[in-house]
Amino acid sequence: MNFGDLNEIGFSSSMDEDSDFIPLLSSEDEDNMRNEKIPEILPILPLKNTVLFPGVVIPITVGRDKSIQLIKDYNKGDKTIGVVAQRSDATEEPTGDDLYNVGSVAQIIKMLRMPDGNTTIIIQGKKRFKIDEYIQTEPYHKAKVSAFEEIRPPKSDKEFEAIISNLKEISTQIIKISPNIPSDASFAINNIDSPAFLVNFISSNMNAKSEDKQKMLEVANLKERSLLVLEYLNKEFQMLELRNQIQNKTKMDLDKQQREYFLNQQIKTIQEELGGNNFEQEIAGYEEKAKTKKWSNDVKEVFEKQISKLQRMNPNAAEYGIQTNYVELLLELPWDEQTKDNFNLNNAQTILNEDHFGLEKVKDRIIEHLAVLKLKGNLKSPIICLYGPPGVGKTSLGKSIAKALNRKYVRMSLGGLKDESEIRGHRKTYIGAMPGRILQNLKKVQSSNPVFILDEIDKVGSDYHGDPSSALLEVLDPEQNSAFYDNFLELEYDLSKVMFIATCNNLSNIQPALRDRMEIIEVNGYTVEEKLEIAKRHLVPKQIEESGLKKSQFKISDKILEFLIDTYTAESGVRNLEKKISKIARNTAVHIAKNIALPKITEENVIKILGPSHIKDKYQGNDIAGVVTGLAWTQVGGDILYIETSLSKSKAGKLTLTGNLGEVMKESATLALEYLKAHPQLINADAETFENNNIHIHVPEGATPKDGPSAGIAMLTSLASAFTKRKVKKALAMTGEITLRGKVLPVGGIKEKILAAKRAGIKEIILCADNKKDIDDIKPEYLKGLTFNYVTQMEDVLKIALLKEKVKDI
C-alpha cells in the first residue's frame, strides 16, 4: 500500500486532544453522493497512471494544454467533471480509443498554482459512470455518459462482513510491517465506517498497476470487488513478509565487505525462492543443451569434467569467465551437425552457368571435383585454390558451389593476417583467450560441412607472433585436418568434412609447402565479348536494382557497353566496369528524383558523366626505330609495355637500363645484347658497331616495378631495330623468353596478355611455338582480328618483326 500524505487522501493527520482521525466522507455524505444525479454530458479529464475511486480525494498535477483549459473552464462553474484513466501512460494526446469506458465523476475541491508553473487540483470522486459516446474533441473531450450503478450486498450478508473485517485486518498488518507507510494510517483504516468507501479507499492507495485498479473500478458488485481487493492485499502482504524474512536472514553489523556480502545474500535468497541462482540455472541450461549434442564419448567426457569444474568455481573468480567461454564453445561447435549434400551435377552445372558467364574450364573442373565427392563420399581430395586477377569472380564461384551443393557458406578473409593465433586460437591461460577464426566461423555457421572460402590466401603475412600460413598447412591437408588442434579447444576437431576453397591473385607469394597442398585452378580474365555478356546478364540488372530504378528507366545498348569496356576499363575482371555502370545508373537516378527528362545514354553523355578516359594502353605506332611493344602479366591482368632503345656515339660501349626493372628483366636485356654481339650478321653489323655506341634501354612508367623473362624477344627486337634503323612492323606485339643459344622459350599468362593486346589495338602477335596450346584453349571467336606467329629461334623473331624500311632512331 502507498498512503503518502494523509491530508492528500482525505484524512486529518493531527493527533491532539481536539481532533481525531475524521474521514473526509461521512455516512451522510456518502448517502447524498449516491443520490446525486450524473449530468448527461461531462467533460473528460484523462489521467496517467491514476484511477479515481468514489469518495477518495486525490491531488492531480495538470500539464497538458487541453486538461488545463478544461480545469479553467469548469473551476468557474459547478466544478463537476469526468475523470477517466488512460489505457497507456505513453500516450501524450489520448483519443477516445485510448481511454477506458468507465470512470468517476469528480468534484474540483481546490485549484493551486505551483511555484514551477504547473497547475495542481484536488478532486474528490463522486459516482462512477460509463461513457456512451464522445460528442466533442476540441478544445477538450466531452462525452454523453450514463450511471454505472453499484450492486451492494444486503446488510445481513455475514460473508461480506467477514471480507470487510479481513480487509481492515490485513491493511493494518501491512501498515505495521511496511517501513514506508506511516503508522498513523492504521487509525484512518479503523475510522472508516462505510464498507463501500473502505474498499474504494484501499483500492486507491494499494500498490497495484493502473490496469488492475481499473478492473476493480469496473466491478459493479461491491462484494466481488471486495474479494478482488482482498486477493491483491494478500499478495502484497506475502511479498512484504518474504522481504522481511530475507532481511532478517542477512541482518548483521555492516562494514564495507559485510555490506557486499549482505547484498549478495539477498539476491541469492531471492533466486533460491525463484528456483535457484543465476549460476546454477546457467549450468543446468548447459547440461540440458548437452543432451541434444551429437558428440563422441571423448568430447562428452571432457564436457562433463569441465562442467563439474565450473560448478566448483567461485562465480566471482577471474577464471570463471574463461571456463564459461570454454564450456559454451564445446556446446556451440557443430560436432557432427551436417547439411545434406545435393550431388545433382546437372543442377550444379545450371547454377554455375546462371551465376557466371564464361570460365568454362573452371566450371568443368568444379563439376569434376563434385563428381568425385559424390562417388567417393568424402573430401579426401586436393583443396581447390582459385587463382587469377581481381574481379574475375573467384569468391563468387565459391558461393555458387555452396548453393549448388546445398551447403552453408562461410568466408574468412586472410588479407593482412599475421598472427598464428588467428588460425589456431590462444591458450586458455591468457587473458581474453579465444578460439581461432576457423572454429569461430564454424560455430557461427552451425555446420560441420560448409563451403569455407579462404579469401586472399596470398596476402597472409608473418611477424613475431608466428606464421599463419604454416598454421594453415594442417588445415588444408586432407590427411591431417581430420584431427585439427586448436589451442583454446585443446581437443582434436574434424575438419575433413569442410570443403575449403582458397582464392589468390599471385601464386609466388604463397609458401611452397602450402601451395603443394592445393590444386591450382586458374581463373583467367575475360575477353571483351565475355565482359559484354556479363554486363548484360549480371552487372546491369544488379545496378538497376541497387539504384532503385526500373528496367524501362535504364536502357544501355551493347555499343555503349563496348565503349565502356574499351575506353574506361583496362582490367582482366569486371569490377571497374561495374563501377562505371553504377555511376551511370546513379546519374539516371538523379534525373528521376529531380523529375528531369532522362537523357539517352550515348557516348557523348557517358563522357560527360564519367569524364575523359585515362586508359593509356593503346598502341602508339612504329614511326621511331628502337621502340617495340611487349606484352606483360600483372596481378590485375595483362598489360602492354614499350621497350625503347637509343644509341649514342661513345667509345665506352656502355649498356644502361632504366625503368625500375627487376634483376631478371635486366638479365634479358644483357642476353639480347650479347646474342647480337655473338651473331652480328643478323643485323649486318660488326664489332665496331657495338664498341662505338652507348646503348640505353628504357621501359616507360618508371614508377611501376617490372620484372620477369617474358620481355626477352621484345628487348632483342628493340636493340636490332635501333642498330639497323629498320622499322618494326605496325600493330605488332610480342612475348617470349630468350637464351644465349638463340632459343625462344614459352612464358605464362598468355590469355591475359592476348586480352591486353586486343584492348590496345594490336593486330599481330609473336609467341613461342610452345605457347600455341595456350592459344588453342581460347575460344576462336575471341581471337578474331589477331594473327599469331609462332617461333622457336630468335632470328625468326627479327625476320617477322623488322621491315626493310628505315626510319630515324629515337
Side-chain angles (χ1 to χ4, degrees):
M1 298 182 72
N2 184 19
F3 284 86
D5 190 338
L6 293 177
N7 284 319
E8 291 182 358
I9 58 173
F11 287 83
S12 168
S13 59
S14 59
M15 293 187 63
D16 53 35
E17 295 179 0
D18 299 323
S19 67
D20 297 318
F21 277 89
I22 303 171
L24 189 63
L25 192 72
S26 65
S27 298
E28 184 178 345
D29 290 336
E30 186 182 6
D31 290 337
N32 291 335
M33 188 176 68
R34 289 182 61 196
N35 293 328
E36 286 178 4
K37 287 187 178 181
I38 294 176
E40 292 183 358
I41 296 174
L42 281 175
I44 303 301
L45 177 67
L47 293 187
K48 278 186 182 181
N49 200 28
T50 306
V51 177
L52 178 64
F53 286 80
V56 177
V57 177
I58 59 172
I60 299 293
T61 298
V62 182
R64 291 185 283 218
D65 293 339
K66 287 185 177 183
S67 300
I68 293 172
Q69 186 62 47
L70 186 153
I71 298 304
K72 284 181 179 178
D73 290 351
Y74 282 83
N75 190 47
K76 300 172 185 175
D78 61 359
K79 302 188 178 184
T80 301
I81 60 173
V83 175
V84 180
Q86 291 182 197
R87 296 181 187 274
S88 171
D89 296 337
T91 307
E92 286 302 323
E93 293 295 334
T95 63
D97 294 334
D98 298 320
L99 304 176
Y100 289 103
N101 286 333
V102 177
S104 296
V105 178
Q107 185 79 26
I108 300 173
I109 297 174
K110 197 169 186 179
M111 184 172 76
L112 304 170
R113 291 281 184 182
M114 307 306 289
D116 58 2
N118 287 327
T119 299
T120 298
I121 58 170
I122 299 174
I123 56 175
Q124 181 178 28
K126 294 294 185 180
K127 293 183 70 174
R128 287 176 294 176
F129 66 87
K130 184 178 181 182
I131 295 174
D132 295 326
E133 66 173 319
Y134 286 92
I135 60 172
Q136 176 183 303
T137 58
E138 296 294 336
Y140 40 78
H141 288 85
K142 279 188 178 182
K144 285 186 179 180
V145 299
S146 56
F148 189 94
E149 296 296 339
E150 184 175 71
I151 303 170
R152 298 200 176 194
K155 292 183 178 180
S156 59
D157 191 334
K158 299 297 182 182
E159 184 181 1
F160 178 66
E161 288 180 10
I163 293 170
I164 296 300
S165 177
N166 276 337
L167 279 175
K168 284 190 175 183
E169 183 179 347
I170 199 167
S171 297
T172 304
Q173 289 177 341
I174 289 173
I175 292 168
K176 284 181 181 178
I177 66 174
S178 175
N180 301 321
I181 303 176
S183 57
D184 297 346
S186 59
F187 291 93
I189 296 292
N190 292 325
N191 274 280
I192 298 175
D193 295 327
S194 166
F197 181 62
L198 178 69
V199 173
N200 290 339
F201 179 76
I202 294 172
S203 301
S204 180
N205 291 287
M206 69 189 305
N207 278 334
K209 295 179 181 177
S210 296
E211 51 263 40
D212 294 329
K213 291 184 177 183
Q214 182 68 27
K215 286 179 186 176
M216 298 173 193
L217 184 71
E218 292 178 3
V219 176
N221 190 301
L222 178 59
K223 184 176 178 181
E224 291 177 7
R225 192 160 79 252
S226 304
L227 285 169
L228 185 61
V229 173
L230 185 60
E231 181 184 339
Y232 276 98
L233 282 183
N234 274 316
K235 286 181 184 177
E236 187 175 347
F237 180 67
Q238 288 171 10
M239 289 298 293
L240 282 169
E241 275 194 322
L242 181 61
R243 190 181 71 179
N244 288 339
Q245 287 173 11
I246 294 168
Q247 288 175 341
N248 290 334
K249 284 180 183 179
T250 57
K251 193 173 183 180
M252 60 180 63
D253 295 329
L254 299 178
D255 56 21
K256 185 177 180 181
Q257 291 182 343
Q258 288 173 328
R259 177 179 174 78
E260 291 177 2
Y261 177 79
F262 164 72
L263 294 172
N264 285 328
Q265 284 297 109
Q266 274 194 315
I267 293 170
K268 184 177 178 181
T269 308
I270 293 169
Q271 289 169 341
E272 285 174 355
E273 293 290 338
L274 294 173
N277 61 40
N278 282 341
F279 305 114
E280 290 173 355
Q281 289 175 346
E282 209 171 59
I283 291 170
Y286 295 152
E287 291 173 334
E288 189 65 30
K289 192 173 181 180
K291 295 176 183 177
T292 63
K293 298 298 291 183
K294 300 176 183 177
W295 47 26
S296 65
N297 290 331
D298 292 341
V299 180
K300 184 178 180 182
E301 187 178 327
V302 169
F303 172 78
E304 289 173 351
K305 181 179 177 182
Q306 296 299 326
I307 203 77
S308 175
K309 182 179 177 182
L310 187 65
Q311 287 173 321
R312 296 193 302 271
M313 290 179 74
N314 182 353
N316 296 318
E319 295 83 3
Y320 187 86
I322 296 173
Q323 187 69 13
T324 302
N325 289 341
Y326 183 75
V327 170
E328 287 177 350
L329 177 66
L330 287 174
L331 288 168
E332 291 172 7
L333 278 175
W335 290 94
D336 198 21
E337 298 166 21
Q338 305 174 31
T339 53
K340 189 175 180 181
D341 287 334
N342 176 13
F343 282 120
N344 185 333
L345 299 187
N346 291 326
N347 177 60
Q349 186 78 59
T350 301
I351 290 172
L352 288 172
N353 289 335
E354 285 177 354
D355 293 350
H356 298 85
F357 182 81
L359 307 177
E360 302 304 332
K361 288 184 67 178
V362 179
K363 292 178 189 173
D364 290 343
R365 180 62 191 87
I366 290 170
I367 294 297
E368 290 170 10
H369 192 74
L370 299 183
V372 172
L373 294 182
K374 180 178 181 179
L375 297 178
K376 198 176 178 186
N378 63 46
L379 286 175
K380 290 291 179 72
S381 57
I383 308 296
I384 289 177
C385 177
L386 301 175
Y387 150 65
V392 293
K394 299 185 296 297
T395 305
S396 60
L397 269 170
K399 275 188 180 179
S400 297
I401 294 170
K403 184 179 173 184
L405 281 174
N406 196 31
R407 289 193 177 192
K408 292 189 177 180
Y409 168 84
V410 62
R411 173 185 166 274
M412 174 179 165
S413 177
L414 298 175
L417 202 71
K418 291 185 177 181
D419 191 348
E420 181 189 345
S421 299
E422 293 284 342
I423 306 296
R424 289 192 178 279
H426 307 79
R427 297 197 178 278
K428 288 191 293 182
T429 51
Y430 294 108
I431 295 173
M434 294 172 64
R437 289 173 63 186
I438 300 287
L439 291 190
Q440 285 185 44
N441 279 290
L442 290 179
K443 183 178 79 170
K444 179 175 70 175
V445 83
Q446 281 298 297
S447 171
S448 61
N449 67 335
V451 172
F452 200 123
I453 305 297
L454 296 169
D455 220 0
E456 310 290 359
I457 200 168
D458 56 328
K459 309 297 191 304
V460 174
S462 62
D463 61 7
Y464 63 93
H465 290 296
D467 184 3
S469 61
S470 298
L472 285 169
L473 294 176
E474 182 185 4
V475 174
L476 299 182
D477 191 334
E479 299 299 326
Q480 297 181 41
N481 65 9
S482 59
F484 172 69
Y485 186 86
D486 185 277
N487 291 328
F488 185 84
L489 184 64
E490 294 180 339
L491 281 170
E492 292 181 348
Y493 190 87
D494 185 3
L495 295 177
S496 63
K497 300 182 184 68
V498 180
M499 179 185 278
F500 287 103
I501 298 175
T503 73
C504 72
N505 302 130
N506 190 352
L507 288 175
S508 61
N509 291 343
I510 302 176
Q511 188 186 113
L514 184 58
R515 189 168 65 241
D516 185 58
R517 282 164 166 76
M518 301 185 292
E519 178 170 348
I520 309 299
I521 299 179
E522 188 171 358
V523 185
N524 291 315
Y526 299 112
T527 63
V528 172
E529 291 81 1
E530 286 175 326
K531 288 182 180 181
L532 181 61
E533 286 298 321
I534 291 168
K536 290 196 305 189
R537 296 185 185 193
H538 301 288
L539 305 184
V540 172
K542 179 182 175 183
Q543 292 307 319
I544 287 173
E545 182 180 348
E546 290 191 356
S547 300
L549 302 173
K550 298 175 183 175
K551 288 183 179 179
S552 59
Q553 296 170 331
F554 189 71
K555 294 181 179 179
I556 185 166
S557 66
D558 291 1
K559 181 182 175 184
I560 297 300
L561 290 174
E562 284 188 30
F563 176 70
L564 288 174
I565 294 166
D566 290 336
T567 312
Y568 285 93
T569 63
E571 58 178 345
S572 293
V574 291
R575 192 166 285 152
N576 283 325
L577 177 59
E578 183 176 8
K579 291 176 183 176
K580 302 302 179 186
I581 296 171
S582 173
K583 173 75 173 171
I584 298 170
R586 291 196 300 272
N587 181 268
T588 303
V590 169
H591 280 78
I592 294 171
K594 290 184 174 181
N595 293 321
I596 303 172
L598 288 176
K600 191 175 179 182
I601 302 175
T602 61
E603 289 185 9
E604 293 77 14
N605 286 331
V606 166
I607 293 170
K608 286 180 183 178
I609 295 168
L610 300 181
S613 171
H614 299 290
I615 304 301
K616 297 176 182 177
D617 60 346
K618 290 293 180 184
Y619 177 69
Q620 296 178 358
N622 64 339
D623 297 329
I624 299 174
V627 179
V628 177
T629 305
L631 298 175
W633 179 93
T634 69
Q635 290 191 27
V636 293
D639 200 357
I640 66 170
L641 52 82
Y642 299 101
I643 312 294
E644 301 174 349
T645 301
S646 70
L647 305 177
S648 58
K649 297 293 182 182
S650 173
K651 293 293 183 182
K654 180 183 175 185
L655 173 64
T656 304
L657 301 169
T658 56
N660 200 352
L661 308 183
E663 289 301 319
V664 177
M665 206 163 182
K666 290 177 181 178
E667 289 169 1
S668 293
T670 305
L671 273 172
L673 180 59
E674 292 302 319
Y675 180 77
L676 290 177
K677 285 181 178 180
H679 302 85
Q681 71 277 9
L682 292 177
I683 56 173
N684 296 321
D686 52 29
E688 291 183 358
T689 304
F690 300 103
E691 292 172 359
N692 295 333
N693 287 288
N694 281 340
I695 304 159
H696 187 159
I697 298 177
H698 176 67
V699 184
E701 294 190 38
T704 305
K706 309 168 194 74
D707 201 4
S710 62
I713 61 173
M715 296 271 193
L716 173 73
T717 306
S718 179
L719 284 166
S721 174
F723 279 114
T724 62
K725 307 291 190 293
R726 290 167 64 183
K727 207 173 195 180
V728 178
K729 187 183 283 189
K730 190 174 183 181
L732 174 74
M734 58 190 73
T735 181
E737 185 178 356
I738 58 175
T739 73
L740 276 177
R741 294 174 298 151
K743 297 285 186 182
V744 177
L745 302 181
V747 292
I750 294 299
K751 185 175 181 182
E752 278 73 21
K753 292 175 179 178
I754 298 304
L755 295 177
K758 283 200 75 174
R759 286 198 302 266
I762 299 295
K763 303 298 181 185
E764 193 171 349
I765 296 174
I766 299 176
L767 294 168
C768 174
D770 289 340
N771 281 127
K772 187 176 187 303
K773 63 181 184 299
D774 298 303
I775 301 299
D776 293 339
D777 283 341
I778 304 173
K779 288 185 178 180
E781 57 264 32
Y782 298 153
L783 302 176
K784 286 180 181 177
L786 290 176
T787 302
F788 294 95
N789 299 289
Y790 300 105
V791 297
T792 57
Q793 300 294 324
M794 290 160 67
E795 58 185 287
D796 296 335
V797 176
L798 299 182
K799 289 176 184 177
I800 297 168
L802 295 181
L803 302 174
K804 291 183 179 179
E805 181 183 354
K806 292 191 176 184
V807 293
K808 64 179 182 178
D809 60 14
I810 194 168

